[in-house]
Amino acid sequence: AQSVAQPEDQVNVAEGNPLTVKCTYSVSGNPYLFWYVQYPNRGLQFLLKYITGDNLVKGSYGFEAEFNKSQTSFHLKKPSALVSDSALYFCAVSPNTGFQKLVFGTGTRLLVSP
Amino acid sequence: KAGVTQTPRYLIKTRGQQVTLSCSPISGHRSVSWYQQTPGQGLQFLFEYFSETQRNKGNFPGRFSGRQFSNSRSEMNVSTLELGDSALYLCASSPSRTSGGSTYNEQFFGPGTRLTVL
């Protein structure tokens, strides 16, 4: 069975500081890993994905994520946080097949203070 | 391209009723998936349809069903509603294809339908 864990319910960071939102995964085989962001009363917005290749994946809005196979982690990062980045962030894993089933983590609320 | 659209956006029903939610995927996307989001259970996969066939199913009772039409639009139906069915129901579409060695399977989500069961 596949699963992801987001160990932090909330992350607080000051605007302009770097941010990290943590995610670890458990899968059999090679994972497809994703990050999504959810703003209030909105659906999920795709940020980035890791399929294969470079361990550092760049995505939308200046976000990037680092895939670490030995630590089974896929942490989301941004060099300089904005107040507008405040939202709910979800890590997700998908089987390495054509089937479109995402297994989500519990979500991490990011709060960026001015 | 227009994004994923879901109708209605808000719905209030009473226990025992049934409800049908609709989803129109991004043009050209053949895969449509449905998810339930609740504060207690988080985001849970309901089912996926591809070319009018259910390709994958989550761990939900048979009261939850869906279908996909030839134009890739999808509907999900919940019969005999229970209070616990109150949730945000999200639809996502995906190209679900592999081309030139690249896999295009990221899912793009609609705004959701907020269902309240009284």
Side-chain angles (χ1 to χ4, degrees):
Chain A
Q2 302 168 346
S3 64
V4 292
Q6 294 181 245
E8 303 155 317
D9 290 336
Q10 182 162 313
V11 169
N12 298 302
V13 64
E15 188 174 33
N17 284 358
L19 69 87
T20 298
V21 183
K22 295 180 180 178
C23 172
T24 58
Y25 65 90
S26 175
V27 299
S28 54
N30 295 321
Y32 285 1
L33 294 161
F34 302 82
W35 276 101
Y36 286 85
V37 60
Q38 186 175 36
Y39 295 96
N41 301 315
R42 302 274 292 275
L44 300 174
Q45 294 182 30
F46 170 77
L47 282 178
L48 51 80
K49 69 176 181 181
Y50 173 83
I51 303 298
T52 186
D54 291 340
N55 290 340
L56 185 63
V57 179
K58 293 190 181 297
S60 305
Y61 314 119
F63 284 94
E64 58 188 28
E66 186 170 11
F67 172 70
N68 188 316
K69 189 172 184 177
S70 63
Q71 297 185 2
T72 62
S73 67
F74 189 56
H75 300 331
L76 181 70
K77 300 182 179 185
K78 187 174 182 181
S80 179
L82 300 172
V83 172
S84 57
D85 292 331
S86 298
L88 189 56
Y89 290 80
F90 290 95
C91 180
V93 65
S94 175
N96 191 353
T97 67
F99 299 146
Q100 302 301 309
K101 174 183 177 178
L102 287 171
V103 175
F104 286 91
T106 51
T108 298
R109 187 163 300 281
L110 174 66
L111 186 59
V112 182
S113 55
Chain B
K1 273 187 180 178
V4 177
T5 58
Q6 292 187 246
T7 57
R9 291 293 311 278
Y10 301 92
L11 207 48
I12 299 175
K13 293 286 188 178
T14 56
R15 280 179 298 174
Q17 287 187 310
Q18 75 164 14
V19 67
T20 299
L21 312 181
S22 181
C23 171
S24 293
I26 292 171
S27 178
H29 287 192
R30 298 166 63 190
S31 167
V32 173
S33 300
W34 289 88
Y35 295 83
Q36 181 196 64
Q37 185 177 22
T38 60
Q41 299 299 316
L43 279 155
Q44 293 187 289
F45 172 79
L46 280 156
F47 29 65
E48 183 217 356
Y49 286 86
F50 182 84
S51 292
E52 302 179 64
T53 300
Q54 187 180 88
R55 195 161 65 165
N56 209 343
K57 190 177 190 302
N59 189 24
F60 278 81
R63 299 186 297 107
F64 292 81
S65 63
R67 60 178 175 168
Q68 186 180 33
F69 302 95
S70 58
N71 61 358
S72 294
R73 191 177 70 84
S74 177
E75 289 181 346
M76 69 162 281
N77 183 277
V78 188
S79 62
T80 320
L81 284 166
E82 301 177 359
L83 295 178
D85 296 333
S86 294
L88 180 66
Y89 289 89
L90 293 164
C91 166
S93 74
S94 170
S96 188
R97 69 177 188 273
T98 299
S99 174
S102 297
T103 301
Y104 300 90
N105 67 348
E106 58 266 37
Q107 296 186 32
F108 297 89
F109 285 79
T113 295
R114 172 77 60 186
L115 172 65
T116 301
V117 182
L118 302 176

